[in-house]
């Protein structure tokens, strides 16, 4: 491996690796202070073409996943993803801290309060991961870093490359060779039965978190946790006098590690809410950020045996009963809720309940039939003493949204109303130079994945015009002000 990658990642030392990749600590010489970063190199031990193809696909998927999830403070950000000399690399944010496996030493037992804090901290970041339809599949102490600067738990290693086995060629009954590609995602001791059968679910991650907590409480390695003789279940009772914890925590952990996935919490948000109900606020609420890009099977083909897509489960724990319609006035339909109104509602909700607000807002919007339904669903999540003023403010926001939408119906389309938007501009042919400008402006807002998004938009619509490309890319921006600036900057170049 070269000492310098992409012209500015200077290798410092080897961190580790397995049969399918190596990890290095590096410095970025292009940035002030030459900050540290982590470089992951795709380097499978097997050179079999089929194994290499699958490994590369999974490596690309890890880059996609890191990009989607890297907006969370407790998940390393993706800094770069590139090919050099026919080898593939990921560059990630370096997290200064200590892996949890250094804390959870055999014979050392953590106090109940410390484990409750750990449980809440891990579940709040895992709730974000599950909200993005991602199953981590390898939660274990080594993949949980206690960050030095604030003691928060950072969840690492979203890659599956190291779990792709070499191709084995067997003879079928008819004498023809066929390929077997076994993908065993996870680590022994932390994998529930359905995950070992290549059918992971969100609750598979819940099982792993529960095992980590039992390991911390008991001071035992995961594979040495005893099972109850009558049921064969791992549970707190099976640890006998070794544990001295509250019934509330025991009930939560027992449910997390049940053998039958249907008897566990459906996802991390459900488990986190159970912890909050039992012990009150023990950490920040799960933070939701909308996915910046849409993952398509065309861009990232599925591998059937991976079971990356979870099977449908019970309704989300965020669901709330159908609310009553406001008695004073029937508000307009949800179709008239503008992006600005949604932004204002999110700000209002944030003030009332904290960072979990975006999750609740998106869930409520999806479940509401009318805007009055939406207001009541949101109000039901506010503490009783604040419900009346919240309802009034939320009603004003959605009513204002409707008025603005109705006025818009009487106005010309922006492409004909805006003075600079001439027909020549609206139908302008896309050029390589303008495409590059689009990549640069989008990268300023969302980072290194911008180039891939621009090329994907063009590939999906080969005859796309410059203005159409601007609008397609603007969909990846969340902040209305960022969208406005992005459009204005690029339209000025036409």
């Amino acid at each position: 491996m070269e000492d310098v990658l992409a012209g500015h990642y200077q290798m410092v030392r080897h961190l580790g690796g397995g049969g399918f990749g190596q990890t290095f600590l590096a410095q970025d010489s292009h940035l002030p202070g030459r900050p540290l970063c982590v470089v992951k190199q795709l380097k499978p031990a097997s050179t079999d073409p089929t194994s290499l193809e699958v490994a590369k696909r999974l490596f690309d998927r890890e880059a996609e996943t890191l990009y989607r999830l890297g907006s969370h403070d407790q998940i390393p950000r993706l800094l770069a993803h590139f090919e050099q000399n026919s080898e593939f690399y990921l560059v990630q944010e370096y997290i200064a801290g200590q892996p949890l496996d250094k804390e959870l030493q055999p014979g050392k037992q953590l106090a109940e309060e410390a484990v409750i804090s750990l449980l809440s901290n891990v579940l709040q970041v895992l709730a974000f991961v599950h909200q993005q339809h991602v199953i981590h599949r390898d939660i274990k102490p080594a993949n949980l870093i206690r960050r030095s600067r604030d003691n928060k738990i950072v969840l690492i290693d979203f890659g599956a490359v190291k779990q792709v086995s070499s191709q084995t060629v067997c003879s079928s009954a008819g004498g023809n060779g066929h390929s077997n590609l076994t993908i065993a995602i996870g680590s022994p001791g932390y994998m529930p039965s359905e995950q070992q059968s290549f059918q992971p679910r969100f609750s598979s991650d819940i099982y792993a978190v529960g095992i980590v907590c039992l390991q911390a409480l008991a001071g035992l390695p995961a594979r040495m946790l005893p099972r109850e003789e009558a049921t064969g279940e791992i549970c707190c009772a099976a640890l006998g006098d070794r544990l001295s914890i509250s019934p509330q925590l025991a009930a939560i952990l027992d449910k997390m590690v049940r053998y039958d996935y249907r008897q566990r919490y459906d996802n991390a948000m459900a488990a986190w809410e159970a912890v909050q109900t039992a012990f009150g606020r023990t950490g920040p609420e799960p933070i939701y950020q909308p996915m910046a890009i849409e993952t398509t099977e065309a861009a990232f083909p599925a591998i059937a045996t991976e079971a990356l897509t979870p099977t449908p489960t019970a309704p989300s724990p965020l669901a709330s009963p159908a609310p009553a319609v406001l008695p004073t006035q029937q508000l307009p339909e949800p179709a008239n809720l503008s992006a600005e109104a949604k932004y204002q509602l999110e700000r209002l909700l944030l003030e009332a309940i904290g960072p979990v607000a975006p999750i609740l807002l998106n869930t409520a919007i999806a479940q509401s039939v009318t805007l009055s339904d939406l207001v009541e669903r949101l109000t039901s999540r506010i503490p009783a003493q604040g419900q009346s003023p919240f309802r009034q403010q939320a009603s004003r926001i959605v009513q204002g949204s409707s008025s603005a939408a109705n006025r818009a119906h009487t106005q010309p389309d922006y492409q004909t109303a805006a003075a600079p938007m001439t027909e020549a501009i609206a139908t302008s042919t896309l050029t390589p130079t303008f495409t590059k400008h689009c990549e640069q402006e989008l990268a300023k807002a969302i980072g290194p994945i911008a180039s891939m998004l621009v090329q994907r938009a063009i590939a999906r619509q080969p005859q796309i015009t410059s203005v159409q490309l601007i609008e397609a890319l603007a969909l990846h921006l969340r902040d209305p002000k960022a969208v406005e600036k992005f459009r204005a900057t690029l339209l000025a170049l036409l």
Side-chain angles (χ1 to χ4, degrees):
M1 180 175 175
E2 298 182 26
D3 290 337
V4 179
L5 296 174
H8 58 107
Y9 296 114
Q10 176 71 48
M11 297 300 102
V12 175
R13 71 173 186 269
H14 180 256
L15 294 177
F20 295 92
Q22 300 295 318
T23 306
F24 302 86
L25 186 67
Q27 287 183 310
D28 188 347
S29 62
H30 278 190
L31 294 178
R34 297 172 59 88
L36 294 172
C37 55
V38 174
V39 175
K40 295 185 69 173
Q41 177 191 29
L42 172 61
K43 195 172 184 179
S46 171
T47 57
D48 176 85
T50 304
S51 294
L52 287 173
E53 178 185 354
V54 175
K56 173 60 169 60
R57 187 181 303 162
L58 291 175
F59 203 65
D60 286 341
R61 183 172 292 153
E62 181 177 7
E64 172 85 1
T65 302
L66 284 171
Y67 168 69
R68 286 166 52 187
L69 302 180
S71 58
H72 195 287
D73 176 60
Q74 290 165 258
I75 297 175
R77 289 178 296 118
L78 174 68
L79 303 178
H81 176 222
F82 59 90
E83 178 182 356
Q84 181 171 315
N85 296 330
S86 300
E87 293 186 333
F88 299 91
Y89 301 91
L90 291 178
V91 183
Q92 300 170 237
E93 176 186 10
Y94 170 69
I95 305 299
Q98 177 173 267
L100 210 60
D101 59 352
K102 302 298 184 184
E103 293 184 19
L104 306 186
Q105 296 295 324
K108 179 183 178 182
Q109 296 177 256
L110 296 190
E112 177 174 356
E113 293 77 12
V115 172
I116 293 172
S117 177
L118 170 66
L119 176 60
S120 182
N121 205 324
V122 174
L123 287 176
Q124 75 91 17
V125 63
L126 188 59
F128 172 80
V129 173
H130 287 179
Q131 182 71 27
Q132 300 296 314
H133 310 291
V134 172
I135 305 172
H136 187 281
R137 296 178 291 172
D138 198 16
I139 292 177
K140 58 184 178 181
N143 286 338
L144 299 169
I145 307 294
R146 189 177 295 281
R147 190 164 53 195
S148 299
R149 61 180 170 86
D150 56 11
N151 284 328
K152 288 184 177 180
I153 299 297
V154 177
L155 182 57
I156 67 169
D157 197 353
F158 289 83
V161 172
K162 65 180 181 294
Q163 283 83 23
V164 182
S165 73
S166 301
Q167 181 189 43
T168 59
V169 179
C170 307
S171 296
S172 65
N176 295 322
H178 68 279
S179 299
N180 286 332
L181 199 60
T182 303
I183 302 176
I185 307 295
S187 298
Y190 303 93
M191 278 195 297
S193 58
E194 75 278 358
Q195 188 171 340
Q196 296 177 41
S197 301
F198 311 111
Q199 297 179 347
R201 291 167 168 80
F202 292 129
S203 61
S204 304
D205 284 344
I206 300 302
Y207 178 94
V209 176
I211 293 294
V212 170
C213 290
L214 286 174
Q215 178 181 353
L217 285 166
L220 293 173
R223 284 194 264 187
M224 292 182 62
L225 292 172
R227 297 177 181 271
E228 192 174 52
E229 185 174 347
T231 64
E233 295 274 7
I234 296 175
C235 61
C236 294
L239 288 161
D241 295 338
R242 195 177 190 91
L243 284 191
S244 178
I245 61 174
S246 65
Q248 296 93 327
L249 179 58
I252 290 172
L253 294 179
D254 284 352
K255 184 171 181 176
M256 292 177 71
V257 299
R258 294 300 294 267
Y259 179 86
D260 186 345
Y261 70 87
R262 292 168 295 186
Q263 297 180 22
R264 301 182 210 130
Y265 297 103
D266 288 335
N267 52 48
M269 187 66 180
W272 182 86
E273 288 185 334
V275 174
Q276 306 312 299
T277 300
F279 303 105
R281 183 184 293 262
T282 59
E285 289 89 349
I287 300 172
Y288 170 74
Q289 296 282 352
M291 287 187 293
I293 60 177
E294 175 186 359
T295 304
T296 64
E297 292 304 316
F300 294 91
I303 302 173
T305 53
E306 289 177 52
L308 278 173
T309 304
T311 55
T313 57
S316 166
L318 296 176
S320 54
V325 175
L326 283 177
T328 55
Q329 181 179 3
Q330 178 67 30
L331 293 174
E333 294 301 310
N336 289 332
L337 184 65
S338 67
E340 180 61 28
K342 182 178 178 182
Y343 178 78
Q344 291 178 16
L345 282 176
E346 183 178 309
R347 296 298 99 189
L348 182 63
L349 203 58
L350 276 168
E351 293 177 3
I353 62 174
V356 77
I359 297 179
L360 299 182
L361 178 59
N362 282 280
T363 301
I365 290 174
Q367 295 171 346
S368 300
V369 177
T370 66
L371 285 182
S372 58
D373 290 347
L374 175 61
V375 170
E376 288 305 306
R377 285 184 185 275
L378 296 177
T379 303
S380 69
R381 304 307 295 252
I382 305 301
Q385 65 272 21
Q387 287 188 355
S388 179
F390 178 89
R391 181 185 287 110
Q392 293 176 2
Q393 294 182 64
S395 296
R396 285 197 294 269
I397 290 172
V398 297
Q399 286 172 336
S401 172
S402 176
S403 300
N406 291 334
R407 288 195 302 271
H409 285 307
T410 64
Q411 297 295 327
D413 181 77
Y414 83 94
Q415 290 192 1
T416 57
M421 186 63 71
T422 64
E423 182 177 356
I425 292 178
T427 59
S428 60
T429 303
L430 191 63
T431 65
T433 300
F434 188 75
T435 300
K436 191 65 177 178
H437 285 311
C438 289
E439 292 179 359
Q440 292 170 348
E441 290 303 316
L442 191 61
K444 292 177 183 178
I446 65 174
I449 204 74
S451 179
M452 185 186 76
L453 295 180
V454 173
Q455 297 306 318
R456 181 186 296 177
I458 296 172
R460 287 177 175 173
Q461 190 178 347
Q463 302 304 316
I464 193 170
T465 67
S466 299
V467 171
Q468 288 172 338
L469 179 59
I470 293 172
E471 293 306 308
L473 299 178
L475 295 175
H476 299 298
L477 304 178
R478 180 189 180 199
D479 186 353
K481 293 182 179 179
V483 173
E484 183 180 351
K485 180 180 178 182
F486 178 78
R487 285 174 174 155
T489 300
L490 291 172
L491 287 173
L493 298 175
L494 295 177

